[in-house]
Amino acid sequence: MMQHTNHSQDTDMAQIVVIGAGVIGLSCALRLLRAGHQVAIVARDFPTPFETATGAAINYTSLWAGAHNRWNLPTTPAEEREHAMARRTYAHMRRLVETNPECGVTFTTGIEYFEDPPEAYRALDARRAAELGFEAFRRHAPDELPEGVALGFEYRTWCANPMVYCMFLLRQFCLAGGTTAVAELRHPHEVFAMDPYRSAAAVVNCSGVGFGDDPAVFPTRGQTCVVANAVSATVTRQNADGSWTFAVPRGFDGGTVIGGTKEPDDWDPEPSPEVRARLLDRFAATHPAVLADGPYRVLRDIVGRRPTRRGGPRLEAEAFGHRRVVHAYGLGGRGYELSWGVAEAVLALLE
Ligand SMILES: Cc1cc2nc3c(=O)[nH]c(=O)nc-3n(C[C@H](O)[C@H](O)[C@H](O)COP(=O)(O)OP(=O)(O)OC[C@H]3O[C@@H](n4cnc5c(N)ncnc54)[C@H](O)[C@@H]3O)c2cc1C
Ligand SMILES: *[C@@H]1O[C@H](CO)[C@@H](O)[C@H](O)[C@H]1NC(C)=O
Ligand SMILES: *[C@@H]1O[C@H](CO)[C@@H](O)[C@H](O)[C@H]1NC(C)=O
């Protein structure tokens, strides 16, 4: 069952079909369109207001993200590649907030705290931070640190209100001539048997946790809580026990996300009230300013499934007869921050 928009059913054949309208599918589709390709998006889920979204959309991860950019310090070649994608995305977002202030992205201060910092973070100084592309980097003095924190620093970074940003991408895509169809597929190759895509040259598989036939893909459950209280920075604390305490201001009247858990292979769709209480208490202890205007005003709990893949994201092209299938999934907890780097990689794989 398929619902087409506008001119996708006429003789004008879509050349590339992107499966998925999460942040990855939307970014890839827009990038390919801008490079001159004819592009259609086919997906089960499209951007929808966060405020009315229900748990039925649990497999559409982009709806439930923070989402901010938190720099990882690269120490392996794979991490270097991801860091390059994060830098590309950062540069893209910097241009975007200038040209399209309505895009759903805000630049702000990003603060990171560590109870037990790994060596690479202990050694991070202004010179290394500049090499890595961090802007406005500053290490915090010991008397600025919350109790229990051994290392703190800050840099300039960006946060997205996820659905405002994804709807912006979708509107840009449609305005520039891209077409869309709502459909649930059983396999990416099914596209080549669907009108009007029978002669498509390529399919891009951006299906997140979608088809479930790659044994290396698993969900990393994340529970967070959206509150109306404002924070003026994105704050991330890595606790000694491996747990995380963070807040992401969403901007554009999106409230603040307080998080969060990272639970590999946990499919539980229900939020736990005990976890909510713990997340809120721990964040207030780290950053008391969140309660400056009064107690927490909880808007809702979030449970999301980060589409994680053992061995890292899959970014590769395969032949299917004379056609091509390009895979772009398994972005785990970094889909937003790597999105424009992924889109560039997909374009390169197709050209
Ligand atoms: C709590 C939480 C916090 C997060 N915070 C951050 C953050 O701060 N920064 C960051 O960068 N990332 C963050 N993430 C991760 C981020 O949300 C994901 O990496 C990203 O959303 C993945 O996007 P995607 O496009 O690959 O997948 P999805 O958003 O899941 O999109 C998949 C698309 O494929 C479609 N699809 C799937 N199967 C089919 C099918 N069979 N037929 C048709 N269509 C199909 C879906 O309908 C959908 O359109 C967070 C995630 C969670 C859960
Ligand atoms: C989400 O995906 C899982 C695994 O494929 C599936 O079992 C479940 O029914 C899906 N949930 C919803 C609400 O569609
Ligand atoms: C397409 O992506 C999904 C991840 O959602 C993966 O499980 C699947 O194996 C991919 N399809 C093919 C044909 O490789």
Side-chain angles (χ1 to χ4, degrees):
M1 197 77 67
M2 231 187 17
Q3 297 153 8
H4 290 288
T5 58
N6 56 49
H7 50 282
S8 65
Q9 56 279 64
D10 58 30
T11 51
D12 203 11
M13 292 298 182
Q15 295 302 297
I16 299 178
V17 178
V18 173
I19 302 174
V23 67
I24 298 301
L26 292 165
S27 307
C28 291
L30 189 54
R31 184 68 192 90
L32 295 171
L33 195 68
R34 295 252 157 90
H37 295 282
Q38 251 185 288
V39 187
I41 301 177
V42 178
R44 181 191 58 223
D45 307 280
F46 277 86
T48 171
F50 170 78
E51 289 70 16
T52 54
T54 70
I58 183 130
N59 294 319
Y60 181 34
T61 308
S62 294
L63 185 48
W64 311 112
H68 65 159
N69 173 65
R70 194 185 59 78
W71 294 121
N72 279 11
L73 294 189
T75 53
T76 65
E79 288 168 1
E80 296 282 358
R81 275 196 302 280
E82 287 199 3
H83 187 67
M85 292 199 274
R87 286 186 73 163
R88 212 178 249 282
T89 308
Y90 184 90
H92 185 92
M93 296 304 196
R94 237 189 16 184
R95 289 192 298 275
L96 205 54
V97 294
E98 298 293 327
T99 56
N100 296 79
E102 79 285 12
C103 67
V105 172
T106 324
F107 273 72
T108 182
T109 299
I111 299 174
E112 291 205 46
Y113 293 131
F114 297 82
E115 287 187 1
D116 183 14
E119 182 45 38
Y121 287 86
R122 280 184 201 280
L124 182 66
D125 58 12
R127 196 183 55 83
R128 176 72 178 138
E131 262 169 30
L132 290 167
F134 300 12
E135 293 182 310
F137 174 82
R138 183 177 75 82
R139 258 178 101 114
H140 289 188
D143 63 0
E144 288 176 83
L145 301 176
E147 198 175 325
V149 169
L151 170 68
F153 52 78
E154 65 180 56
Y155 45 71
R156 194 158 174 69
T157 196
W158 58 265
C159 302
N161 179 317
M163 283 297 109
V164 174
Y165 177 63
C166 285
M167 283 193 215
F168 164 79
L169 295 178
L170 178 62
R171 288 200 308 274
Q172 293 253 300
F173 174 75
C174 292
L175 193 64
T179 62
T180 58
V182 180
E184 177 152 17
L185 304 168
R186 310 267 275 286
H187 194 281
H189 298 166
E190 195 183 341
V191 164
F192 298 123
M194 280 162 68
D195 286 323
Y197 312 121
R198 289 179 190 273
S199 66
V203 159
V204 186
N205 181 12
C206 304
S207 56
V209 278
F211 293 96
D213 57 344
D214 178 341
V217 173
F218 61 94
T220 303
R221 182 179 183 275
Q223 180 175 335
T224 61
C225 181
V226 188
V227 299
N229 309 62
V231 291
S232 59
T234 154
V235 181
T236 308
R237 173 174 177 157
Q238 299 188 43
N239 304 310
D241 64 3
S243 67
W244 297 69
T245 300
F246 62 81
V248 182
R250 279 182 155 186
F252 298 81
D253 300 326
T256 300
V257 172
I258 309 279
T261 65
K262 297 190 180 183
E263 301 156 277
D265 256 318
D266 185 334
W267 291 84
D268 186 356
E270 296 304 326
S272 141
E274 295 76 38
V275 169
R276 177 216 276 188
R278 191 180 74 222
L279 295 174
L280 296 182
D281 287 351
R282 285 194 173 184
F283 187 72
T286 293
H287 194 75
V290 70
L291 302 180
D293 293 328
Y296 277 122
R297 278 161 292 143
V298 170
L299 300 178
R300 69 182 290 171
D301 297 304
I302 288 182
V303 175
R305 292 173 177 163
R306 302 175 182 90
T308 320
R309 186 167 178 271
R310 269 175 283 277
R314 184 170 178 209
L315 282 170
E316 67 183 2
E318 269 182 342
F320 176 63
H322 61 286
R323 276 102 167 237
R324 258 178 311 161
V325 179
V326 174
H327 299 283
Y329 64 85
L331 276 300
R334 304 194 74 188
Y336 282 84
E337 59 189 29
L338 304 186
S339 54
W340 285 100
V342 171
E344 288 298 331
V346 165
L347 179 64
L349 286 167
L350 279 165
E351 289 186 339

